[in-house]
Amino acid sequence: MTSINEQPIPAARPVIGEEEIEAAVRVLRSGRVVQGPEVAAFEEGFSGLVEGRHCVAVNSGTSALHLLLLALGIGPGDEVIVPSFSFAASANAVRLVGADVVFADIEPGSFGLDPAAVEAAVTPRTAAIMPVHLYGHPAAMDRLMAVAEKHQLAVVEDACQAHAAALHGTPVGAFGAGGTFSFYPTKNMHSLEGGMVTTADAELARTLRLLRNQGMEQRYANEIVGANMRMTDVAAAVGRVQLGKVEGWTEQRRANAAYLDAHISAPNVTTPPVAEGARHVYHQYTIRVRGDRDAAMAKLTEAGIGNAVYYPTPIHRLKPYWEPDQKAGRNWDLPETERAAAEVVSLPVHPSLGEGDLERIAAAVNTLGENL
Ligand SMILES: Cc1ncc(COP(=O)(O)O)c(C=O)c1O
C-alpha cells in the first residue's frame, strides 16, 4: 500500500519548465510562428546528435516516417520489413504510402529486429528494412546493415524512442538511408508534438523539405506533390530548450537504470539486457515478468509504482493488419514477439526520480512473489 506521505511515482513525467514556457512565449510574441528561424536552428542543433546529418523537422514522428518512405519512393508493390513488436506508427507509415508490411521477429535481448529473421523475410519485392530502436536500445544495426547491403535494401531507422542511443559509437539515425525521431511529450526530449528526419543524402533532404511543404521551396512554385507536415516555431523553440538538456537527462536515465539493475533481484523478473557496444538511453526501463503479469502490475500499482505495457498487442494482431492477413491466409511466425508482448512491464526511469523513488521501485519489484 502507498503510505500517506508517499506519492505515487508516475510512469513518465514530461518536462514543461519555465525555460520551455519562456521560449514558447518569446516565439509567440515574435509573430514568426511556422517553420521560421527556430525550426532552422532546431534542425541545426539536432544534427549534433546524428554526426552532422541533414535534419528536416516535421510535425510528428509518424510524419517523419511517412515522409521518409515517400521521399525514398517506396509505395505500391514494395514490401518493407518491420518488427511487429513496436508502436503501430512504424507499420502504419508503410501502409500509408501504399506499400506492404512484412513482419519479422525480434531478438529477445534488444527487443529489436532479428537480422536472421529479416534475411529470411526478404523477397524480390522488398524495398526497405525498418529497424525500431525500441525502448531506447539500438537495434543490431551492424548486422542489419550487412543484410541490407547484401540485398540492396534501404534502411529506415525508427529512432522515435531513442534520441542519442548508439551502437559501437555510431548514433542511431546515422546508420541508414534515413532516421526518424519523435518529440512527443513523453519521449526523452519533446517539442509538445514534433518529429525529425535525418539523412546523409543532401538530395533526399531537399526532397523531404519539398514534401513537408506542398512541394514548394519558393512560394507558389510547386515542384512536386507534397503535404503540410511543417513544424511550428513554438514547437521548435521548446525542442531547442530540451535539446540543451537531453544529454544530462540521458545520463540520469542511465544512472537510474543502473540502480534498478543492481537492486532488482526478484527471481521471476529479468532486468533489461544491454548488447555489447550499445548505448541504451532507457526511454523505457522494461523488465520481463514470468508468471501472472496482471497480478504483478496490480501489486506495483498498489505500491504506488507507475507501470505500463508497451505494447500488449503486437502490431500484426491489431485489426487493420490482422483482418487482411486472415483474409489472405497469411500467418506470421513471431514467437519472440508474442513472448515479449506477454511478459514486458515498463517501470519509471525518468530523470525526475530521486533516490528514494528508486529504492521504492526496486523494493516493490522485489516483493513480487515467485508464485505469481
Ligand atoms: C517506435 C515509435 N515509432 C513512431 C512513433 C510515432 O511518433 P509520434 O507519436 O511523434 O507520431 C512513436 C511514438 O509515439 C514510437 O514510439
Side-chain angles (χ1 to χ4, degrees):
M1 287 280 278
T2 314
S3 76
I4 294 166
N5 46 17
E6 279 184 339
Q7 296 296 318
I9 303 170
R13 187 178 285 153
V15 176
I16 301 179
E18 281 310 310
E19 271 187 86
E20 283 83 351
I21 292 167
E22 278 167 24
V25 169
R26 173 171 48 75
V27 171
L28 289 169
R29 289 197 198 289
S30 79
R32 291 286 304 274
V33 292
V34 176
Q35 206 178 279
E38 291 289 335
V39 170
F42 186 34
E43 291 175 338
E44 197 184 319
F46 197 81
S47 73
L49 285 192
V50 286
E51 294 188 335
R53 285 193 158 204
H54 303 278
C55 290
V56 180
V58 290
N59 56 1
S60 74
T62 308
S63 295
L65 282 167
H66 188 174
L67 225 57
L68 178 54
L69 292 169
L70 280 176
L72 288 168
I74 292 169
D78 293 327
E79 291 176 352
V80 180
I81 301 175
V82 178
S84 176
F85 194 58
S86 181
F87 184 51
S90 310
N92 283 349
V94 175
R95 287 280 291 273
L96 282 170
V97 300
D100 293 325
V101 174
V102 171
F103 291 111
D105 211 358
I106 54 166
E107 296 187 306
S110 68
F111 297 103
L113 273 179
D114 176 347
V118 169
E119 177 122 42
V122 172
T123 76
R125 291 209 287 129
T126 310
I129 303 174
M130 186 189 289
V132 179
H133 307 299
L134 202 72
Y135 305 145
H137 188 295
M141 293 311 293
D142 40 2
R143 288 173 289 138
L144 289 166
M145 292 303 291
V147 175
E149 263 162 45
K150 182 171 160 196
H151 297 279
Q152 303 210 312
L153 308 172
V155 174
V156 171
E157 289 177 72
D158 181 341
C160 284
Q161 301 189 358
H163 317 71
L167 186 65
H168 299 302
T170 301
V172 301
F175 284 95
T180 59
F181 293 82
S182 165
F183 305 120
Y184 183 73
T186 55
K187 297 294 192 278
N188 287 21
M189 59 170 284
H190 74 84
S191 68
L192 311 173
E193 286 266 25
M196 194 73 80
V197 190
T198 62
T199 179
D201 180 340
E203 207 38 52
L204 190 69
R206 180 166 190 275
T207 305
L208 288 161
R209 289 179 199 286
L210 290 173
L211 285 169
R212 79 171 163 187
N213 188 30
Q214 311 290 357
M216 296 187 291
E217 188 172 274
Q218 306 290 333
R219 191 179 286 187
Y220 308 136
N222 306 58
E223 299 175 38
I224 57 173
V225 171
N228 172 5
M229 296 189 185
R230 295 183 299 256
M231 179 180 269
T232 69
D233 267 35
V234 176
V238 171
R240 287 179 69 201
V241 171
Q242 298 247 323
L243 183 60
K245 298 178 185 172
V246 73
E247 189 50 39
W249 285 336
T250 300
E251 281 311 318
Q252 192 58 54
R253 283 177 183 273
R254 285 165 54 78
N256 293 347
Y259 181 98
L260 295 174
D261 285 347
H263 291 85
I264 290 176
S265 56
N268 48 350
V269 167
T270 308
T271 55
V274 179
E276 198 227 314
R279 183 185 199 226
H280 194 334
V281 295
Y282 294 99
H283 172 55
Q284 300 294 343
Y285 183 90
T286 303
I287 58 172
R288 285 179 187 260
V289 176
R290 284 172 307 281
D292 186 341
R293 180 175 63 180
D294 288 344
M297 292 174 72
K299 280 189 192 171
L300 291 172
T301 302
E302 201 183 319
I305 310 300
N307 60 90
V309 175
Y310 307 107
Y311 296 90
T313 308
I315 303 174
H316 74 282
R317 291 195 176 275
L318 297 173
K319 188 176 165 204
Y321 297 89
W322 185 255
E323 284 188 358
D325 283 340
Q326 290 299 295
K327 259 191 208 145
R330 210 169 17 238
N331 282 303
W332 305 106
D333 182 27
L334 306 168
E336 291 300 342
T337 296
E338 304 280 7
R339 194 160 71 83
E343 291 184 352
V344 295
V345 179
S346 294
L347 301 172
V349 73
H350 49 82
S352 330
L353 298 174
E355 184 145 352
D357 297 324
L358 290 163
E359 276 170 22
R360 276 178 59 199
I361 296 165
V365 174
N366 288 338
T367 59
L368 299 175
E370 277 190 54
N371 301 318
L372 279 169

